[in-house]
Amino acid sequence: MSSYQLPQDLAQQVSFNEAGLVPAIAQDVSSGVVLMMAWMNAEALAATLATQRGTYWSRSRQELWVKGETSGHTQTVRSVHLDCDGDTVLLQVEQRGPACHTGSESCFTDREIMLENSAEGNNL
């Protein structure tokens, strides 16, 4: 993969953690479903902006990875947003195939944690 450089003005807006990473949430641009969370470093964010393909940093492999490069389940990035603190990236994507490595549409499928008193309709 070519080396991508994040423009300095944008790099100053992103609050990378002590490891040089920022969480990135991928959301389906049409349905609004939250698909997955992954990490980005400055190069992954720069590559995503340049290629419009979801590109992330693998903490276990210590390398960039492009969503769908091996599975074929690609993400075409339609917009990129920073939250108000600059410490989370939101990618709105067109997902082709499942987003989760388990084969589910979303990494947040079938793992709901029940709230205490949820039967009584209490909300947080």
Side-chain angles (χ1 to χ4, degrees), residues 2 7 68 98-99:
S2 299

Side-chain angles (χ1 to χ4, degrees), residues 17 21-27 33-40 55-59 65 67 75 87-91 93 95 99-101 105-108:
N17 68 15
L21 302 173
V22 63
I25 305 294
Q27 178 185 40
V33 169
V34 174
L35 300 171
M36 58 177 270
M37 180 274 181
W39 294 94
M40 290 182 152
T55 305
Y56 305 97
W57 177 255
S58 170
R59 295 178 299 162
W65 60 277
K67 182 69 175 165
Q75 291 177 345
D87 62 3
T88 304
V89 176
L90 174 66
L91 305 174
V93 304
Q95 178 71 43
C100 187
H101 72 282
E105 171 194 16
S106 166
C107 293
F108 297 96

Side-chain angles (χ1 to χ4, degrees), residues 67-112:
K67 182 69 175 165
E69 201 166 53
T70 57
S71 69
H73 304 152
T74 61
Q75 291 177 345
T76 302
V77 178
R78 295 300 175 208
S79 65
V80 179
H81 306 264
L82 285 176
D83 76 342
C84 57
D85 298 318
D87 62 3
T88 304
V89 176
L90 174 66
L91 305 174
Q92 292 187 314
V93 304
E94 288 179 12
Q95 178 71 43
R96 289 180 189 84
C100 187
H101 72 282
T102 65
S104 294
E105 171 194 16
S106 166
C107 293
F108 297 96
T109 303
D110 301 326
R111 303 252 351 233
E112 181 178 2

Side-chain angles (χ1 to χ4, degrees), residues 5-69:
Q5 188 75 25
L6 196 60
Q8 187 63 30
D9 61 330
L10 181 54
Q12 292 175 346
Q13 295 177 48
V14 181
S15 296
F16 293 100
N17 68 15
E18 60 282 347
L21 302 173
V22 63
I25 305 294
Q27 178 185 40
D28 186 280
V29 69
S30 297
S31 69
V33 169
V34 174
L35 300 171
M36 58 177 270
M37 180 274 181
W39 294 94
M40 290 182 152
N41 62 9
E43 186 178 5
L45 180 54
T48 297
L49 295 170
T51 65
Q52 296 182 330
R53 296 179 68 199
T55 305
Y56 305 97
W57 177 255
S58 170
R59 295 178 299 162
S60 60
R61 295 188 312 267
Q62 295 290 294
E63 65 184 14
L64 294 180
W65 60 277
V66 178
K67 182 69 175 165
E69 201 166 53

